[in-house]
Amino acid sequence: MVDNKKVLFSAMQATGNLTLGNYLGALKNWVNLCDEYECFYSVANLHSITVRQDPAAFRKKNREILTLFLAAGIDPVKNCIYYQSQVSAHAELAWILNCYTYMGELSRMTQFKDKSAKHADNINAGLFTYPVLMAADILLFQADVVPVGKDQLQHLEITRDIAQRFNQIYGDVFTVPEPYIGKSGARIMSLQDPEHKMSKSDENPNGSIYLIDDPDTIIRKFKRAVTDSEGCVRYSENQPGISNLIDIYSACTGKSAADIEKEFDGKGYGDFKLAVGEAVVDVLKPLQERYADLSKNKDYLDGIIKENAEKASYFANKTLRKVQKKVGFPEIIR
Ligand code: ATP
Ligand code: LTN
């Protein structure tokens, strides 16, 4: 609890380009959560180096993602938005928790299995202990709730196990977090392969709409989107491509699937795809304008980054000190 509010923590890795899926499924919903929760949102850049990064491109990407958090409307005064690497308590707690986590449980993580298959030439120890760092992220802030996608639920489960194990030995140190199930945001699928989710690490850029794509690119990607063979705009399991476009149009305009089917009754896929593209351009336009403004305002951004890192450090260090004391490390002499 902070100021009688429950605590919410989430993070996004600082890799790839944020997509329309990240926006509609996460960022957009994060904006108003600060009314109910004390919210911490981190750019999870320590997690990113489990995969090799080019330093200059990575530095730029970190800033881009943090700026997009702000451009999406997350208020940096009401929320704490910060770089994970600037709060050293993450790495310190992760080390301690490593000593309370078993090889066996980490070996069962499906993300580890997937990523080690994908990066067979670089199966580093960080990739293996990734979930422990994620547990440290969450537990440092004594988070009550964590909004995550389905693919991260297993990591949340291991976080709960680690927290409970630690609490059993040392008493009530950590809040045991729950997944946050908000009003169901749309799960956006790839425009090229509607059986798979739109993802920032997809190698085919035509499958994803990036938040910083210009309007022409957005329209072009929608025109090229894979559709189905029924020839009509109808929501159906047999039409995953069209159903995905209906979901996107619905999320951008607030119209229901039934209304959308009516609106495009008798019209072809071409008209519909163009309308969806235009709706997405309209939704992203203010975000892109704010992004452009913020990017020009270096001092303002730097100020926010500094203040928020200090705020995050304050809360994180409180937990870290408590843990260090419980474990039996000598206290810091001031
Ligand atoms: P990566 O490809 O790097 O694994 P990703 O694009 O799948 O990344 P994550 O970083 O795993 O995205 O997810 C960040 C947040 O965005 C999560 O809360 C997740 O639920 C949400 N999200 C990601 N992709 C989609 C999508 N296609 N539709 C809805 N929500 C999504
Ligand atoms: N692993 C997550 C990103 C992430 C995260 C977290 C999410 C890192 N630390 C803590 C929630 C809570 C991902 O790949 N989406």
Side-chain angles (χ1 to χ4, degrees), residues 72-214:
I74 302 175
D75 181 331
V77 176
K78 294 186 184 156
N79 302 268
C80 185
I81 300 176
Y82 71 98
Y83 295 127
Q84 186 187 27
S85 61
Q86 293 185 340
V87 176
S88 61
H90 284 273
E92 295 177 71
L93 182 63
W95 168 255
I96 296 175
L97 297 182
N98 262 316
C99 302
Y100 297 80
T101 309
Y102 298 110
M103 300 288 283
E105 53 190 350
L106 289 175
S107 313
R108 287 195 290 275
M109 295 293 118
T110 52
Q111 179 175 295
F112 172 68
K113 292 188 219 167
D114 293 349
K115 291 218 170 160
S116 32
K118 208 166 155 193
H119 303 282
D121 55 336
N122 181 19
I123 306 178
N124 58 68
L127 203 58
F128 189 64
T129 59
Y130 182 111
V132 184
L133 178 58
M134 188 160 153
D137 300 343
I138 297 166
L139 300 180
L140 269 180
F141 291 91
Q142 305 288 359
D144 297 280
V145 290
V146 183
V148 281
K150 272 207 188 80
D151 57 331
Q152 296 297 313
L153 283 176
Q154 200 185 22
H155 290 164
L156 195 57
E157 205 42 55
I158 197 175
T159 301
R160 291 168 52 84
D161 291 343
I162 296 170
Q164 278 158 347
R165 186 173 303 146
F166 203 90
N167 285 351
Q168 239 158 32
I169 306 174
Y170 299 105
D172 263 351
V173 179
F174 294 126
T175 302
V176 180
E178 305 276 349
Y180 174 84
I181 317 283
K183 52 177 180 342
S184 65
R187 185 170 151 84
I188 308 300
M189 310 309 277
S190 160
L191 299 185
Q192 290 298 313
D193 177 7
E195 305 285 350
H196 288 102
K197 73 166 192 168
M198 185 181 284
S199 161
K200 59 180 145 63
S201 56
D202 188 347
E203 273 145 31
N204 181 357
N206 290 321
S208 302
I209 300 295
Y210 301 121
L211 297 186
I212 46 179
D213 275 345
D214 59 59

Side-chain angles (χ1 to χ4, degrees), residues 235-254:
Y235 204 96
S236 133
E237 256 178 45
N238 304 327
Q239 297 216 100
I242 285 295
S243 301
N244 185 38
L245 295 181
I246 293 178
D247 278 337
I248 295 175
Y249 193 62
S250 166
C252 292
T253 59

